[in-house]
Amino acid sequence: MSAPPGWYVDPAHPGSEHWWDGTAYTQSRPAASAASPVLYVAAPYRPPGTSPKSRTVATVLGFFLGGLGIDRFYLGNIGLGVAKLLVGWLTLGIWPFIDWIIIIAGAAHDGDGLPVVNWS
């Protein structure tokens, strides 16, 4: 009874593996390093029922480009973004400012109606 075909670590040479075809070793290669860890970057925590959109990004967009409605386009509120782009200037900056305060306060919602609460 012999071992099934596959790569096996050579006990005499721990840094190499050999291919066993069922009858003899036919190939060699350097062994994969088990000491090298796999890096895992965890996604930021997002409570259930909240938007994946970043409140930080929405705040910065609202501050610099709020008069053009870019913050609302980012959040997925396309209709509000278009309205803000077309008539926001008629409010002399009041609408973009109030909208910016709404985003900072955490009362803004994305296009799916989920609250935008994460600062990440």
Side-chain angles (χ1 to χ4, degrees), residues 11 34 60 72 99-100:
V60 171
R72 287 299 172 173
D99 220 15
W100 184 64

Side-chain angles (χ1 to χ4, degrees), residues 13-113:
H13 302 94
S16 64
E17 295 178 321
H18 301 289
W19 176 259
W20 176 257
D21 66 2
T23 58
Y25 289 107
T26 58
Q27 299 177 22
S28 295
R29 70 177 183 189
S33 173
S36 61
V38 175
L39 297 178
Y40 173 73
V41 178
Y45 174 73
R46 184 173 62 92
T50 60
S51 175
K53 300 290 185 175
S54 170
R55 195 160 130 198
T56 304
V57 173
T59 301
V60 171
L61 288 173
F63 183 79
F64 290 108
L65 300 169
L68 300 175
I70 303 300
D71 54 341
R72 287 299 172 173
F73 285 116
Y74 168 73
L75 292 176
N77 300 320
I78 306 303
L80 278 175
V82 170
K84 204 169 166 185
L85 176 65
L86 295 176
V87 297
W89 60 275
L90 291 174
T91 65
L92 302 176
I94 301 297
W95 184 5
F97 179 72
I98 298 295
D99 220 15
W100 184 64
I101 297 297
I102 289 171
I103 293 170
I104 288 176
H109 291 79
D110 67 2
D112 295 326

